[in-house]
Amino acid sequence: MSSFSIVPVLDLKAGQVVRARAGERSQYKPIETPLAAGSEPVAVLEGLLQLAPFRRLYIADLDAIAGHGDHRAAIADLSRRHPAVELWVDAGIATAAAALALAESGVVPVLGSETLATAAELAATRRRLGAARSVLSLDYRGQRFLGPAEIELDPMAWPDCVIVMTLSRIGGTSGPDFARLTAIRQRAGARHVFAAGGVRDRADLEKLASMQLGGVLVATALHDGRLDRAAIAAFGVAG
């Protein structure tokens, strides 16, 4: 893994890539982006890959997270078309068994704290997959942690990669939650910590990189053009 990785995000809902804002998933609409002619997942991913040779992609399967349907076929199609791109997939995992099933499909399961049933399921996933084959997303809405409190409090149970997801900042202009990221980075030890939510521009990337994070998840700033080819190239995108 490179020292700092920019990871584009696809939020999938009802078969389309949608524009996320503030974690209000019921309000998400199909994305309109200069990178693609429509909002179909293949078109949007290929538009992103024209922008930069991203090696990793984060996918939020919002239908699976909400418990009504999923995008397994669409994700498998993306994987077949772009086998060099590592897919991190949040599909509303609640149990270790679900994480293992997702891993067997060839993607990296993202365990969102908001959907994990218990801290024991996180521990069981680590035992069965190892620390390198899954990702933990520590999910927050404002100052409130979403999920079993033990998950946030026990960094020894975290896998090698940890996302700090601040839902209320997604798609907004308030910037990343630097204070929370600093606190978690200090507790995470050698783990790679990824910021998610609120990235506005190159200055935010520079500050996040200076914090020795593993990288950042980005969507809106890529589609709005605030992070262009030059800004991305300055940091590199290797996973």
Side-chain angles (χ1 to χ4, degrees), residues 21 50 55 91 105:
R21 189 172 297 278
Q50 289 295 315
R55 299 185 188 178
S105 73

Side-chain angles (χ1 to χ4, degrees), residues 11 32 64 67-68 80 96 121 128 131 143 149 160 168 182 186 220 225 230-231:
D11 291 294
E32 295 181 4
H68 50 73
R80 284 192 298 268
E121 295 294 345
R128 297 176 71 176
Q143 297 303 311
D160 289 348
S168 57
T182 297
Q186 290 172 346
T220 301

Side-chain angles (χ1 to χ4, degrees), residues 2 4-8 51-56 231-239:
S2 67
F4 188 78
S5 179
I6 299 172
V7 183
L51 186 64
F54 297 107
R55 299 185 188 178
R56 179 181 292 120
I232 296 166
F235 292 89
V237 297

Side-chain angles (χ1 to χ4, degrees), residues 84-103:
V85 180
E86 181 180 74
L87 303 183
W88 288 5
V89 178
D90 184 344
I93 292 169
T95 65
L100 184 62
L102 192 57

Side-chain angles (χ1 to χ4, degrees), residues 62-231:
L62 300 176
D63 290 352
I65 292 170
H68 50 73
D70 60 62
H71 291 85
R72 283 181 291 180
I75 293 168
D77 185 39
L78 293 176
S79 183
R80 284 192 298 268
R81 290 172 183 264
H82 298 283
V85 180
E86 181 180 74
L87 303 183
W88 288 5
V89 178
D90 184 344
I93 292 169
T95 65
L100 184 62
L102 192 57
E104 289 175 345
S105 73
V107 305
V108 177
V110 175
L111 292 84
S113 64
E114 70 168 317
T115 58
L116 274 170
T118 64
E121 295 294 345
L122 173 62
T125 300
R126 177 165 176 159
R127 286 196 302 272
R128 297 176 71 176
L129 290 179
R133 294 182 57 207
S134 66
V135 176
L136 172 64
S137 180
L138 298 173
D139 301 325
Y140 297 85
R141 186 174 296 280
Q143 297 303 311
R144 182 167 62 93
F145 178 70
L146 303 178
E150 298 90 342
I151 292 174
E152 182 189 30
L153 297 174
D154 184 12
M156 295 303 295
W158 300 350
D160 289 348
C161 290
V162 178
I163 298 167
V164 181
M165 179 78 69
T166 306
L167 292 167
S168 57
R169 293 180 183 243
I170 291 174
T173 59
S174 59
D177 190 338
F178 293 111
R180 176 176 291 132
L181 286 162
T182 297
I184 291 177
R185 177 68 189 87
Q186 290 172 346
R187 298 172 57 218
R191 295 167 183 82
H192 302 282
V193 176
F194 288 75
V199 169
R200 297 163 294 191
D201 50 28
R202 181 168 176 169
D204 282 343
L205 293 186
E206 291 172 347
K207 184 168 182 177
L208 292 168
S210 74
M211 296 165 60
Q212 299 184 322
L213 299 186
V216 60
L217 276 56
V218 185
T220 301
L222 295 173
H223 297 291
D224 288 353
R226 287 175 283 135
L227 291 178
D228 58 13
R229 285 183 175 86

